[in-house]
Amino acid sequence: MSLREVLRSCGVSRREFLQYCTAVSATLALPQTFAPQIAEALENEDGRPSVIWMEFQSCSGDSEAILRSGRPKIGEIVLDVLSVDYMEVIMAASGHLAEEAKEQAMEKNMGKYLLVIEGAIPVNDDGVYCCVAGDTAINHLKKAAAGAAAVIAVGNCASFGGIPAGHPNPTGAKGVQDIVSGKPVVNLPGCPCNADNITALVVHYLVFGDLPAVDRHLRPKFAYGKRIHDNCERRGHFDAGQYVDAWGDDAHKKGWCLYKMGCKGPETFHNCPTIRFNDGLSWPVMAGHGCVGCAEPGFMDTMAPFYGRLPNIPGFGVESQATKIGVKLAGAVAAVFAVHGILNMIRNKGMVKKVEAEHLDHDKTEEGGK
Ligand code: SF4
């Protein structure tokens, strides 16, 4: 059955499909004019790459993210019809039959399939802490990667080791990029990763025959090129010095900034605020919880405690103007973060000199921020 037929049988109109293609082009930071090209590539049955999805040290959260909907959305249909030849979570076969299905899919598409890896790979004690079908995750990964066109690591665990690699990392959990060599690797970290980014990545590969540009952590720039903090809908409150001080307080109810509650948005690069989750319905900060930084290397260790304020902010940028005013705050970045919005407000009112004279201290600033 062709993609067009499947979409029709699922009640998806041509118009909705084209709208979806336009949304994918936006996710990929392409002009809308690419939408027809994307539609054509998706509908071209001959050009569909095979996808083999393997899971190791994982909670299946990334599989759930892509399969979650009771009402399948177009992206899921597209991915499903497109190419997924092997995926343990959804396939009917198990045991030897499942292994045979994987071997067949690899053999049939040798050198051409996209290998998707979910979960970390333990290397301590020869990898015995994760075995599938009597062999270690390391061996499964190396073998599958050898025949792949490219390897896509979905979720923070497959990208950087994630939660299994948290201190003291007893199993020696690592990310795909630490195991695989000689093949292009793309990381789609997140906990879970966003299914729309997986679809967009596959679509990019279909349309351009290549993988998208990546950053130094091998993350596609279209999805990880901007700080969460810079696209956050609460940013206006951050700039205005309006912060939540306690869960459930008035500021929280009003949707003010969650920086003081430990939000890691200023240090995290991801497109959560723009594409969101669940059909664009919401994302953690929109739902009232700070970002936990799950798209960054070293998560969770580097982002813990989740409810502790960031001690240091890279790329402080325009905010650094605040340090010129509040000299007492120069050595305390967290404090500067708390006051800079207020200083901006005050500056706008032509009161900077008055503030300088008063040597605004941190407590006073927090009080003013409420
Ligand atoms: Fe949004 Fe968090 Fe930045 Fe506040 S600190 S603006 S909640 S990303």
Side-chain angles (χ1 to χ4, degrees):
M1 198 184 278
S2 69
L3 176 62
R4 192 175 289 205
E5 288 168 333
V6 173
L7 289 170
R8 198 179 300 128
S9 70
C10 291
V12 178
S13 69
R14 183 76 186 152
R15 183 187 177 85
E16 287 172 313
F17 175 59
L18 289 174
Q19 284 174 340
Y20 165 77
C21 293
T22 304
V24 171
S25 65
T27 302
L28 287 167
L30 294 170
Q32 286 187 4
T33 49
F34 271 87
Q37 214 173 318
I38 288 171
E40 192 182 329
L42 289 174
E43 290 178 327
N44 176 12
E45 292 177 44
D46 296 334
R48 295 174 187 170
S50 167
V51 172
I52 294 176
W53 185 304
M54 296 170 69
E55 188 177 342
F56 301 126
Q57 279 182 311
S58 150
C59 67
S60 299
D62 303 289
S63 296
E64 289 293 335
I66 206 161
L67 302 168
R68 71 196 174 282
S69 179
R71 180 179 63 84
K73 68 179 203 172
I74 303 174
E76 291 158 18
I77 297 169
V78 165
L79 262 189
D80 194 30
V81 172
L82 259 184
S83 48
V84 181
D85 287 328
Y86 177 89
M87 187 178 189
E88 290 143 357
V89 171
I90 58 170
M91 60 195 303
S94 61
H96 295 300
L97 288 176
E99 285 304 298
E100 280 171 29
K102 184 177 71 183
E103 296 289 337
Q104 283 171 11
M106 284 163 52
E107 203 172 305
K108 187 173 155 204
N109 302 287
M110 187 57 66
K112 294 184 287 188
Y113 59 83
L114 293 175
L115 177 63
V116 178
I117 300 296
E118 177 177 3
I121 304 97
V123 301
N124 284 358
D125 301 320
D126 296 326
V128 296
Y129 300 112
C130 181
C131 290
V132 180
D135 205 357
T136 63
I138 307 173
N139 288 339
H140 279 292
L141 172 58
K142 284 182 176 172
K143 183 178 177 188
V151 187
I152 303 168
V154 295
N156 198 298
C157 300
S159 299
F160 309 122
I163 293 170
H167 180 77
N169 191 5
T171 67
K174 289 184 178 295
V176 169
Q177 62 189 331
D178 296 322
I179 311 284
V180 171
S181 59
K183 294 286 175 181
V185 174
V186 180
N187 290 327
L188 289 176
C191 193
C193 72
N194 193 309
D196 288 339
N197 286 333
I198 300 176
T199 313
L201 181 66
V202 173
V203 166
H204 187 285
Y205 187 75
L206 275 176
V207 174
F208 299 105
D210 204 355
L211 294 166
V214 294
D215 67 10
R216 67 196 172 102
H217 299 304
L218 303 183
R219 303 176 296 190
K221 289 181 180 175
F222 73 78
Y224 300 87
K226 295 207 167 75
R227 279 196 309 175
I228 280 184
H229 186 60
D230 295 335
N231 284 317
C232 178
E233 62 262 40
R234 296 181 189 237
R235 178 59 185 264
H237 295 295
F238 173 87
D239 290 338
Q242 297 171 323
Y243 303 106
V244 175
D245 283 300
W247 301 116
D249 68 4
D250 277 351
H252 195 214
K253 288 172 190 159
K254 287 175 184 167
W256 286 6
C257 173
L258 295 159
Y259 167 68
K260 286 186 178 180
M261 305 307 290
C263 180
K264 306 300 186 293
E267 279 195 352
T268 304
F269 288 73
H270 206 186
N271 57 359
C272 295
T274 49
I275 65 170
R276 302 176 183 168
F277 290 81
N278 299 328
D279 283 333
L281 180 71
S282 188
W283 66 293
V285 168
M286 189 176 183
H289 193 283
C291 164
V292 295
C294 65
E296 293 300 315
F299 170 82
M300 303 173 36
D301 290 346
T302 56
M303 295 298 174
F306 284 166
Y307 301 110
R309 286 189 215 176
L310 284 171
N312 196 7
I313 309 300
F316 208 38
V318 293
E319 293 97 311
S320 65
Q321 291 173 27
T323 60
K324 293 175 189 164
I325 299 162
V327 289
K328 278 190 173 180
L329 306 173
V333 177
V336 170
F337 234 76
V339 301
H340 102 90
I342 296 166
L343 289 170
N344 280 346
M345 274 198 308
I346 296 169
R347 187 185 295 115
N348 290 341
K349 290 176 183 173
M351 294 172 66
V352 172
K353 286 191 172 155
K354 186 166 180 280
V355 172
E356 285 176 320
E358 289 175 359
H359 295 290
L360 193 64
D361 63 31
H362 184 208
D363 291 341
K364 195 169 182 178
T365 301
E366 285 195 325
E367 189 183 330
K370 291 177 185 175

